[in-house]
Amino acid sequence: MARVIPFEERAVARLRDRLGEAEAARADLIAFARGHAGATAAIHEAVLALMAAPTLEDSFAVVTRDWPGLLGIDCATIALVVGDKAFRVDPSGTFALEREWVARAHERAAPVLLRSGGQGDPLFGPDAASIASEASIRIGQRGCGTPFGVLLIGERAGRDLAAGEGEALLAFLGRSLDAIISRWLRGTD
């Protein structure tokens, strides 16, 4: 006697498995989209706050003091080369740096460098030891006679930062900061 193979049961089981996988993928996609929309809104708020700053010094204060709260990060630092001078701006003030140190960081951040694990880039200054995840974002272009450097944003909690995770938004943040700095420096010439 021939044996009857229960194709229908297997097909239904396979369809249930595939439906479960599709539901999980849909939930992941929705969570990503919600997170991306929140990140986009935070970046927009940060840029609007930067645009509202009445002076270059106030712009630096917005980045180093206000952006951490607006962006949900722990630290924001600017390392910049203007002419033959280089400096770091963090919440505690402005500090002279070696020009080539900033130039090397600028080259590494093409246009965004994400790192996690270990401690933060030394350009963070005293906060470097507490930074576990960071983004180094290029500001300006080297060799154009205009200011260039990096915006460093960091978190104390270690996160595995995947390539592509918000890099376009972070690059936009760097380009916005570059535009504001250039505007202020052109206005003082």
Side-chain angles (χ1 to χ4, degrees), residues 38-50 62-63 65-73 173:
T40 301
I43 296 283
H44 289 166
E45 286 299 317
V47 171
L48 288 172
L50 181 65
V62 165
V63 171
R65 293 188 183 123
D66 298 346
W67 278 12
L70 291 170
L71 297 173
I73 57 174
L173 200 60

Side-chain angles (χ1 to χ4, degrees), residues 79-171:
L80 201 60
V81 173
V82 180
D84 62 347
K85 306 271 190 230
F87 58 93
R88 178 186 79 239
V89 180
D90 65 30
S92 61
T94 302
F95 306 91
L97 296 173
E98 291 294 323
R99 186 181 194 283
E100 284 307 309
W101 188 13
V102 179
R104 281 192 303 273
H106 181 265
E107 290 304 314
R108 283 192 312 265
V112 176
L113 173 65
L114 301 174
R115 294 183 342 152
S116 57
Q119 70 176 26
D121 189 299
L123 287 172
F124 276 109
D127 289 327
S130 66
I131 301 299
S133 299
E134 68 183 72
S136 181
I137 305 159
R138 185 178 280 180
I139 302 170
Q141 291 185 317
R142 187 175 180 186
C144 295
T146 59
F148 69 91
V150 290
L151 164 65
L152 297 146
I153 60 174
E155 295 179 340
R156 289 182 179 88
R159 257 186 354 134
D160 186 24
L161 300 172
E165 182 182 315
E167 285 183 30
L169 288 171
L170 294 173

Side-chain angles (χ1 to χ4, degrees), residues 57 74 78 98 177 182:
E57 292 76 19
D74 295 312
I78 302 167
E98 291 294 323
L177 179 56
S182 296

